[in-house]
């Protein structure tokens, strides 16, 4: 009888050991280590690089830290067992948050905040600076043509070209409508080049200008009245939206935010839009855009092409802005000429590209302050990129 009990105990122990081993094996099969691919580690390194650049060099930290951390989140490998974990799994938390990107909800809310924090005085005081912002949009259409030649279909080419506007929310909005399958690569590319403005733009600004041109002093901008500031967002909305109705979600929210700021009677709305609201939306947008770069979805030949085209479109936009000012100066009298160093500010990376105009200008004349002048084409670039997006959406959507 005693031997029988020992036998049963031995069998029970063996069964328990086997059960435990099987459970451990199942557990291990669900870990990230068991499901990782080389691509996941590549993307994890990319995410870490974004965070490093944001912290070490302060390259757009408000954008790169959420996106970089989102890349880490999106590239934690897991076994697809219906647990609703990933951003592409219907019903998961990240998938629900991602709808703000996929359906184009976040970009107009970002534009609302941008409008509420933007001072259009420099543009109102010198309306011809609007032409510089328009000229810089050539990068969008130049990249669109090149993308077509590289084999992308017209909708994809349009979504890729918008990177040249250096406007992340606009790029996300347009790609969500025209090329949802490329949105991750387009968004990451747009924000990457926005962060690299201090590196990309100065060499081309110096290359395309002479020392004499860099020393041009511009007349101080005139004082803009409160009435003009109130009329501008209303007139701006009516003119641009009637011209390009398809850009209404972005343009409408941009000008509404600006009216809240300038009206003087909706200060709380403006402060909410440019403070807590835009901060929350920026975090959600950054995390979800980063998480959408899962290695299996992101590491493709098309992604590499998009990054290359993004850089090219950004360079084209910068050069077009600078060269347009040089051309425009041929028709301006001495004393009214524009310093071509502010041509780079036509891309809508607000206010970084305007700061670069100031920094490069001070290298050649420490007393020549170009920031206020550069803000004119800079905010014009925001309007221009939204209009360009509307044009592309109008004939490609």
């Amino acid at each position: 009888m005693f031997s029988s009990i020992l036998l049963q105990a031995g069998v029970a122990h063996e069964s328990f050991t086997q059960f435990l081993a099987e459970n451990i094996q199942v557990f291990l099969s669900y870990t990230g280590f068991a499901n990782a691919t080389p691509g996941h580690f590549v993307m994890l390194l990319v995410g870490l690089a974004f965070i490093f650049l944001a912290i070490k060099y302060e390259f757009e930290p408000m954008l790169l830290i959420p996106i970089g951390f989102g890349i880490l989140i999106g590239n934690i490998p897991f076994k697809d067992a219906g647990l609703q974990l990933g951003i592409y799994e219907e019903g998961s938390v990240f998938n629900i948050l991602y709808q703000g990107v996929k359906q184009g909800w976040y970009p107009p809310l970002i534009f609302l905040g941008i409008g509420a924090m933007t001072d259009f005085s420099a543009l109102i005081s010198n309306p011809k600076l609007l032409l510089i912002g328009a000229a810089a949009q050539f990068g969008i259409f130049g990249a669109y043509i090149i993308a077509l030649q590289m084999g992308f279909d017209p909708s994809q080419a349009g979504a890729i070209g918008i990177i040249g506007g250096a406007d992340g929310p606009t790029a996300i909005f347009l790609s969500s409508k025209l090329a949802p399958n490329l949105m991750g690569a387009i968004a990451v590319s747009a924000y990457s080049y926005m962060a690299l403005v201090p590196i990309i733009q100065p060499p081309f600004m110096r290359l395309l200008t002479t020392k004499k041109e860099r020393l041009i002093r511009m007349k101080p901008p005139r004082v803009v009245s409160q009435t003009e500031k109130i009329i501008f967002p209303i007139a701006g909305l009516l003119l641009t939206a009637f011209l390009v109705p398809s850009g209404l979600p972005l343009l409408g929210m941009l000008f509404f935010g600006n009216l809240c700021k300038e009206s003087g009677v909706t200060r709380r709305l403006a402060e909410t839009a440019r403070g807590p609201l835009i901060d929350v939306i920026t975090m959600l947008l950054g995390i979800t855009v980063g998480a959408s770069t899962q290695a299996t979805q992101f590491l493709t030949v098309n992604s590499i092409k998009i990054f290359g085209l993004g850089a090219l479109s950004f360079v084209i936009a910068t050069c077009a802005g600078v060269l347009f000012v040089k051309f425009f100066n041929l028709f301006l009298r001495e004393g009214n000429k524009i310093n071509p160093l502010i041509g780079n500010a036509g891309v809508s990376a607000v206010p970084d590209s305007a700061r670069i105009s100031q920094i490069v200008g001070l290298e050649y004349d420490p007393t020549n302050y170009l920031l206020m002048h550069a803000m004119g084409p800079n905010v014009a670039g925001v309007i221009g990129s939204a209009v360009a997006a509307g044009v592309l959406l109008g004939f490609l959507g």
Side-chain angles (χ1 to χ4, degrees), residues 1 127 131 140 150 219 230 255 289 296 304-305 324:
M1 182 177 178
L131 298 174
I140 294 173
M150 293 180 65
K219 291 181 178 179
I230 292 172
F255 288 122
V289 163
T296 52
I304 297 172
K305 290 181 179 178
F324 175 78

Side-chain angles (χ1 to χ4, degrees), residues 61-337:
M62 299 287 285
L63 297 172
L64 289 195
I65 286 183
I67 292 175
F69 203 82
I71 293 173
L72 300 185
I73 291 174
N75 285 279
I76 301 296
F78 58 89
K79 188 175 183 179
D80 187 5
L83 298 177
Q84 295 183 327
L85 299 175
I87 198 166
Y88 294 110
E89 292 182 285
E90 291 291 334
S92 72
V93 173
F94 284 113
N95 180 262
I96 293 170
L97 295 175
Y98 187 55
Q99 296 307 306
V101 175
K102 192 175 180 182
Q103 302 297 330
W105 305 335
Y106 294 154
L109 294 175
I110 294 283
F111 263 63
L112 174 63
I114 291 173
M117 67 173 64
T118 301
D119 185 354
F120 287 100
S121 297
L123 182 60
I124 298 170
S125 68
N126 193 357
K128 61 177 176 285
L129 297 179
L130 182 66
L131 298 174
I132 304 174
Q137 306 315 310
F138 183 75
I140 294 173
F141 297 99
Y144 169 71
I145 294 170
I146 296 171
L148 287 176
Q149 299 303 313
M150 293 180 65
F152 289 97
D153 66 46
S155 292
Q156 292 175 331
I160 294 168
I162 203 69
I163 298 172
D167 194 325
T170 304
I172 291 171
F173 177 79
L174 191 63
S175 58
S176 72
K177 306 296 183 185
L178 298 181
N181 59 316
L182 301 179
M183 186 164 28
I186 290 171
V188 172
S189 178
Y191 280 117
S192 297
Y193 293 125
M194 284 173 65
L196 293 175
V197 161
I199 295 175
I200 296 175
Q201 288 195 321
F204 294 98
M205 294 164 65
R206 297 186 185 99
L207 177 67
L208 297 174
T209 56
T210 65
K211 184 177 180 180
K212 181 180 178 181
E213 289 172 328
R214 297 175 203 135
L215 295 175
I216 291 176
R217 285 181 174 269
M218 299 174 63
K219 291 181 178 179
R222 69 175 178 83
V223 177
V224 176
S225 70
Q226 187 68 19
T227 302
E228 289 177 288
K229 292 182 180 181
I230 292 172
I231 291 173
F232 180 80
I234 298 171
L237 171 67
L238 296 177
L239 289 173
T240 57
F242 267 88
L243 182 65
V244 189
S246 48
L248 191 57
L250 298 177
L251 293 167
M253 298 300 268
L254 175 71
F255 288 122
F256 171 60
N258 189 246
L259 181 60
C260 288
K261 172 183 181 291
E262 302 297 356
S263 68
V265 294
T266 51
R267 188 168 290 106
R268 282 175 54 192
L269 297 182
E271 289 175 354
T272 298
R274 66 173 173 252
L277 178 63
I278 198 171
D279 288 343
V280 170
I281 298 301
T282 298
M283 285 190 291
L284 292 177
L285 185 146
I287 284 285
T288 51
V289 163
S292 71
T293 63
Q294 289 183 6
T296 52
Q297 304 275 340
F298 188 80
L299 288 179
T300 64
V301 174
N302 276 346
S303 293
I304 297 172
K305 290 181 179 178
I306 288 168
F307 267 80
L309 282 168
L312 183 60
S313 66
F314 200 88
V315 170
I316 293 172
T318 301
C319 295
V322 174
L323 291 174
F324 175 78
V325 175
K326 289 166 68 75
F327 173 74
F328 196 37
N329 277 342
L330 297 176
F331 304 94
L332 298 177
R333 291 179 298 176
E334 202 66 38
N336 290 326
K337 293 187 182 295

